[in-house]
């Protein structure tokens, strides 16, 4: 009888232990399955870490992803104009921030790839030609985030502010576009080009000869379609005569302007083949179209002036300087099925795509 009870007791303990093991295994399997369901279709993109004290981008996550190739990474020092701080990051990390700042994330992927190469080319050219930022030569700063001086750049925190709930989607989109073109730059005759770009040309890009006074083989005028979607494709500006004269006198104190003879006081003297203003005369002052555009904050130098009874009306077409790649034109071509190479070869003539080392 005692043996029987003992045998039953042993069997019961065995069954109890076995049951616990099965339940633990089932729980682990269930958790693993749920994790898998939650992450189906998600591509893990390394996002640079941010510090709570500021907006500095840390490139360590990119290095950790491929530590064996980190020695081959190209690094750049970027001056953040608002904080006067210099941040060090990988070239590709910089390009991600430049593309995010320079082109709408909603644009087609092939257009973003073209922009990535244009941004990387711009940076690589400054580095290769040792075009150091004035005042930061010792720190070897070639780039800043001020679009009026270099090209624009935003960090992770700024991207989150700009995109809000769409941050993950847009960051992934731009990251993949940049990495798909990693290291690629544009070159002409073995030299990295000046990869100028602008928002919208107004229908036709400008020839470099009209701006620089000499021809640049890869910056030729081409038709650029599909730009009308650009919010600033056309613009209307109005300035009362007092303000009109005041603005010009800030730059030309000796200006003499007679509002009684408007038709003879404001006259466009010369236009380029693409109808952009080359030179204009206001009163006794003659200036180029870019100066006039800057004084009045116009969208482009393709403008027309209409004197009114109490002021000057100015109408513009296009947005930007008009040289090189049109961003809205590039997006149009991408939506028409063109790939990034076809887009770049259309706007930059006779160039080749090379890889920086």
């Amino acid at each position: 009888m005692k043996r029987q009870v003992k045998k039953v007791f042993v069997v019961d303990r065995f069954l109890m232990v076995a049951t616990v093991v099965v339940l633990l295994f089932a729980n682990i399997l269930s958790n693993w399955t749920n994790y898998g369901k939650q992450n189906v279709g998600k591509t893990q993109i390394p996002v640079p870490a941010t510090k709570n004290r500021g907006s500095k981008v840390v490139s360590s996550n990119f290095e950790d992803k491929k530590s064996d190739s980190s020695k081959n990474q190209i690094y750049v020092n970027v001056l953040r104009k608002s904080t006067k701080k210099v941040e060090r990051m990988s070239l590709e990390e910089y390009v991600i921030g430049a593309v995010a700042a320079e082109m709408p994330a909603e644009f087609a992927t092939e257009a973003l790839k073209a922009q990535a190469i244009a941004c990387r080319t711009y940076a690589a050219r400054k580095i290769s030609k040792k075009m150091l930022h004035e005042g930061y030569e010792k720190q070897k700063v070639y780039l800043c985030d001020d679009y009026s001086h270099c090209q624009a750049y935003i960090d992770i925190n700024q991207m989150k502010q700009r995109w809000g709930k769409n941050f993950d989607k847009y960051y992934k989109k731009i990251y993949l576009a940049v990495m798909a073109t990693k290291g690629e730059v544009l070159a002409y005759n073995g030299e990295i080009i000046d990869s100028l770009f602008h928002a919208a040309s107004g229908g036709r890009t400008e020839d470099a000869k009209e701006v620089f006074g000499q021809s640049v083989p890869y910056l030729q005028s081409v038709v650029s379609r599909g730009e009308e979607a650009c919010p600033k494709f056309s613009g209307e500006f109005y300035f009362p005569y007092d303000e009109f004269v005041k603005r010009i006198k800030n730059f030309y104190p000796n200006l003499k302007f007679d509002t009684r003879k408007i038709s003879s006081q404001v006259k466009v003297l010369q236009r380029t083949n693409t109808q952009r203003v080359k030179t204009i005369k206001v009163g006794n002052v003659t200036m180029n179209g870019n100066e006039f555009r800057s004084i009045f904050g116009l969208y482009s130098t393709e403008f027309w002036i209409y004197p009114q009874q109490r002021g000057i009306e100015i109408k513009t077409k296009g947005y930007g300087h008009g040289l090189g790649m049109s961003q809205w034109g590039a997006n149009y071509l991408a939506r028409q099925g063109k790939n990034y190479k076809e887009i770049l070869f259309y706007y930059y003539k006779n160039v080749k795509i090379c890889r920086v080392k």
Side-chain angles (χ1 to χ4, degrees):
M1 184 69 177
K2 288 182 180 179
R3 286 184 182 177
Q4 226 174 1
V5 172
K6 191 174 182 180
K7 189 182 290 185
V8 171
F9 179 73
V10 171
V11 171
D12 286 345
R13 287 191 66 181
F14 175 77
L15 290 174
M16 188 181 296
V17 171
T19 301
V20 171
V21 171
V22 170
L23 288 173
L24 285 172
F25 180 76
N27 187 50
I28 293 170
L29 182 62
S30 176
N31 289 337
W32 179 258
T33 303
N34 289 334
Y35 177 82
K37 287 179 180 178
Q38 291 170 2
N39 290 277
V40 169
K42 290 188 178 180
T43 303
Q44 299 301 313
I45 304 298
V47 179
T50 53
K51 292 184 177 180
N52 294 330
R53 293 183 181 178
S55 59
K56 184 176 180 181
V57 177
V58 180
S59 61
S60 59
N61 281 8
F62 286 86
E63 295 172 21
D64 293 342
K65 191 71 177 175
K66 290 186 178 181
S67 58
D68 58 328
S69 62
S70 62
K71 292 182 180 179
N72 297 323
Q73 287 270 24
I74 297 173
Y75 288 89
V76 294
N77 294 326
V78 180
L79 172 64
R80 308 305 303 276
K81 282 292 185 75
S82 60
T83 61
K84 302 296 182 183
K85 291 183 179 179
V86 176
E87 297 181 10
R88 182 171 173 79
M89 64 192 74
S90 71
L91 176 60
E92 300 308 324
E93 186 180 341
Y94 166 76
V95 174
I96 290 171
V99 173
E102 290 285 3
M103 180 174 273
E106 298 87 352
F107 275 19
T109 297
E110 293 302 309
L112 290 170
K113 289 180 183 178
Q115 183 67 62
I117 291 181
C119 288
R120 188 183 297 108
T121 300
Y122 178 88
R125 182 174 184 270
K126 295 200 78 171
I127 296 169
S128 66
K129 290 187 173 292
K130 301 188 183 303
M131 300 167 69
L132 289 162
H133 198 293
E134 186 178 355
Y136 292 84
E137 293 85 355
K138 289 184 179 179
Q139 293 162 280
K140 294 186 177 180
V141 173
Y142 298 94
L143 303 157
C144 72
D145 58 2
D146 181 1
Y147 71 89
S148 65
H149 183 272
C150 292
Q151 58 187 357
Y153 167 87
I154 58 176
D155 59 32
I156 291 296
N157 288 336
Q158 292 169 309
M159 292 179 206
K160 289 179 178 178
Q161 291 175 2
R162 178 175 293 190
W163 299 329
K165 63 181 181 181
N166 291 316
F167 169 76
D168 288 337
K169 179 176 73 173
Y170 288 155
Y171 183 85
K172 175 181 175 181
K173 186 178 180 182
I174 291 176
Y175 172 88
L176 292 175
V178 171
M179 299 315 290
T181 63
K182 185 177 180 180
E184 293 182 350
V185 297
L186 298 170
Y188 176 80
N189 279 353
E191 287 194 8
I192 298 174
I193 73 166
D194 188 2
S195 55
L196 296 171
F197 54 86
H198 58 280
S201 69
R204 190 174 186 89
T205 64
E206 186 61 283
D207 192 304
K209 188 175 183 179
E210 300 284 10
V211 179
F212 303 134
Q214 59 182 16
S215 179
V216 179
Y218 52 82
L219 293 177
Q220 299 176 18
S221 178
V222 298
V223 173
S224 188
R225 297 185 175 87
E227 299 176 330
E228 294 79 9
C230 176
K232 295 181 179 180
F233 179 77
S234 60
E236 293 185 10
F237 301 80
Y238 179 82
F239 302 95
Y241 286 124
D242 288 347
E243 183 182 351
F244 183 82
V245 172
K246 182 180 178 181
R247 286 199 179 206
I248 297 179
K249 277 193 171 183
N250 286 335
F251 292 86
Y252 294 94
N254 297 322
L255 171 71
K256 293 179 181 179
F257 188 87
D258 188 350
T259 56
R260 295 170 300 178
K261 302 177 181 179
I262 299 300
S263 58
S264 62
Q265 293 292 291
V266 183
K267 185 178 292 185
V268 173
L269 301 179
Q270 190 178 13
R271 289 185 181 271
T272 68
N273 291 332
T274 60
Q275 294 305 299
R276 291 174 174 80
V277 174
K278 202 167 185 176
T279 54
I280 181 172
K281 187 174 182 180
V282 180
N284 62 325
V285 172
T286 299
M287 68 185 84
N288 63 49
N290 280 315
E291 286 180 289
F292 189 88
R293 177 199 173 192
S294 178
I295 289 171
F296 293 100
L298 306 179
Y299 294 158
S300 75
T301 56
E302 188 175 351
F303 59 81
W304 289 264
I305 295 176
Y306 303 93
Q308 305 296 327
Q309 187 175 358
R310 297 182 179 180
I312 296 283
E313 182 182 14
I314 305 174
K315 293 184 178 181
T316 64
K317 188 177 180 183
Y319 186 32
H321 50 62
L323 289 164
M325 183 179 73
S326 161
Q327 294 171 312
W328 284 82
N331 190 49
Y332 173 80
L333 290 177
R335 297 193 183 284
Q336 298 300 307
K338 303 296 183 183
N339 63 44
Y340 75 93
K341 292 183 180 180
E342 292 173 310
I343 294 170
L344 291 169
F345 293 156
Y346 180 77
Y347 283 108
Y348 303 104
K349 297 300 182 184
N350 309 308
V351 300
K352 292 182 179 180
I353 294 178
C354 304
R355 191 177 296 277
V356 292
K357 297 180 180 179

